[in-house]
Amino acid sequence: MRVLIAGDMEGVAGITRWDQVMAGKPLYEEGRRLYTAEINAAVRGAFAAGADEVVVMDCHGAGGDASFNSLIYDELDERCEAVVQDEWTGYTEMLEQGCDAALFVGMHAMAGAARGVLSHTVSGTSWRNLFFNGTRVGETGINAALCGTWGCPVLLVTGDDVVCEEARALLGAELGTVTVKRGLGRFSARHLAPARARAAIEDAARRVLAQSPAVKPYDPGRPCEVLVELAAPEHASKYRHRDGVELRDARTVAATAPDWLSAWRRIYF
Ligand SMILES: [Zn+2]
């Protein structure tokens, strides 16, 4: 069994503020330790369920050279391997080769979600809303669609209660989730102690991988329209002459393609 673990930082127990997830800030090193420990918990669960190969992929844009590079590699479980990618959604090799399941650890809710801790979609400053064929999605939807492109189901999502609910609504009620904190607001939460959060993640990872997949791979539909409501008209200017991208109004851009990945690449890369 081959397992991909995609990680983000904002949904980790103990993390509530931007300074814990932005490179160079005093609290970032604490955030990295908490993040790496939760990833390791998922790795342990995957191996306990019988995984032969576990690859960890950091999806957190911490800024500069820390982007997609926030894990403390020296502390990673020695049985897994870790990918540092140039661009988010850029690394697809593991999925292309055939991957049995994906686990998403440390996820945050979509932009605008009430109580979603550190909620945003792609960019807190330039993106407001994202839709796949009319369904509003957050970053869980993006990662799930990437995995779904190669038929890989997402079996576990961890983060605050808001993203867990968002993920079940999108991927199905059978999805495994671990709520490591309850969102009280965008910058406030009631957390499990990190040690308990890790135990719950390890247990859930083992459980979802030990049974036959309860959730189907996510496909937003074919053809697929990816539509972004940007925060302000100036953010639309870079899309103005881009092939296959249409400006619907001063700050709304859309791309339609035969499949999700092709539409996404027109917008994102
Ligand atoms: Zn992030």
Side-chain angles (χ1 to χ4, degrees):
M1 179 166 59
R2 304 177 80 226
V3 178
L4 180 68
I5 298 177
D8 205 352
M9 273 185 100
E10 289 89 339
V12 168
I15 290 182
T16 328
R17 301 280 165 78
W18 292 128
D19 273 15
Q20 290 173 290
V21 301
M22 290 170 72
K25 298 290 186 180
L27 297 177
Y28 175 63
E29 293 306 318
E30 177 200 34
R32 296 178 72 199
R33 284 197 304 276
L34 295 167
Y35 178 34
T36 305
E38 280 200 7
I39 292 289
N40 277 339
V43 171
R44 285 193 300 275
F47 280 111
D52 308 293
E53 184 179 350
V54 177
V55 172
V56 171
M57 174 173 70
D58 178 18
C59 299
H60 176 69
D65 279 345
S67 282
F68 319 114
N69 198 17
S70 286
L71 292 165
I72 302 172
Y73 296 99
D74 199 33
E75 291 178 10
L76 272 184
D77 188 304
E78 65 186 30
R79 295 168 293 176
C80 72
E81 294 187 11
V83 167
V84 178
Q85 51 189 341
D86 288 326
E87 282 287 349
W88 181 35
T89 68
Y91 175 76
T92 56
E93 176 197 46
M94 172 92 173
L95 293 163
E96 288 173 40
Q97 290 168 344
C99 190
D100 297 289
L103 313 175
F104 295 173
V105 174
M107 302 303 291
H108 56 80
M110 66 171 76
R115 298 190 300 104
V117 180
L118 298 173
S119 58
H120 63 279
T121 301
V122 180
S123 162
T125 48
S126 61
W127 286 39
R128 178 171 288 178
N129 283 310
L130 169 66
F131 298 87
F132 296 163
N133 277 346
T135 300
R136 189 153 73 113
V137 298
E139 296 183 11
T140 299
I142 299 169
N143 284 337
L146 188 74
C147 293
T149 297
W150 287 278
C152 174
V154 180
L155 301 185
L156 180 68
V157 172
T158 81
D160 67 11
D161 62 317
V162 182
V163 75
C164 288
E165 182 55 46
E166 174 185 317
R168 282 192 299 270
L170 185 72
L171 303 176
E174 286 73 34
L175 174 73
T177 57
V178 176
T179 297
V180 303
K181 56 193 167 191
R182 190 159 57 83
L184 303 173
R186 200 171 180 214
F187 306 113
S188 54
R190 175 170 163 168
H191 298 264
L192 294 184
R196 255 179 73 206
R198 292 166 203 156
I201 290 169
E202 179 176 347
D203 186 56
R206 184 185 47 72
R207 219 164 2 89
V208 298
L209 292 171
Q211 63 201 26
S212 58
V215 187
K216 282 204 274 293
Y218 173 55
D219 184 351
R222 290 158 196 259
C224 188
E225 179 198 69
V226 173
L227 183 145
V228 185
E229 290 173 4
L230 298 157
E234 66 269 27
H235 303 302
S237 57
K238 71 171 182 181
Y239 298 99
R240 198 164 292 277
H241 301 294
R242 196 182 282 193
D243 247 12
V245 178
E246 183 190 334
L247 267 72
R248 293 284 166 83
D249 62 35
R251 61 176 186 188
T252 304
V253 297
T256 303
D259 58 87
W260 173 82
L261 186 63
S262 306
W264 174 250
R265 284 180 170 163
R266 283 177 189 172
I267 293 284
Y268 191 66
F269 287 101

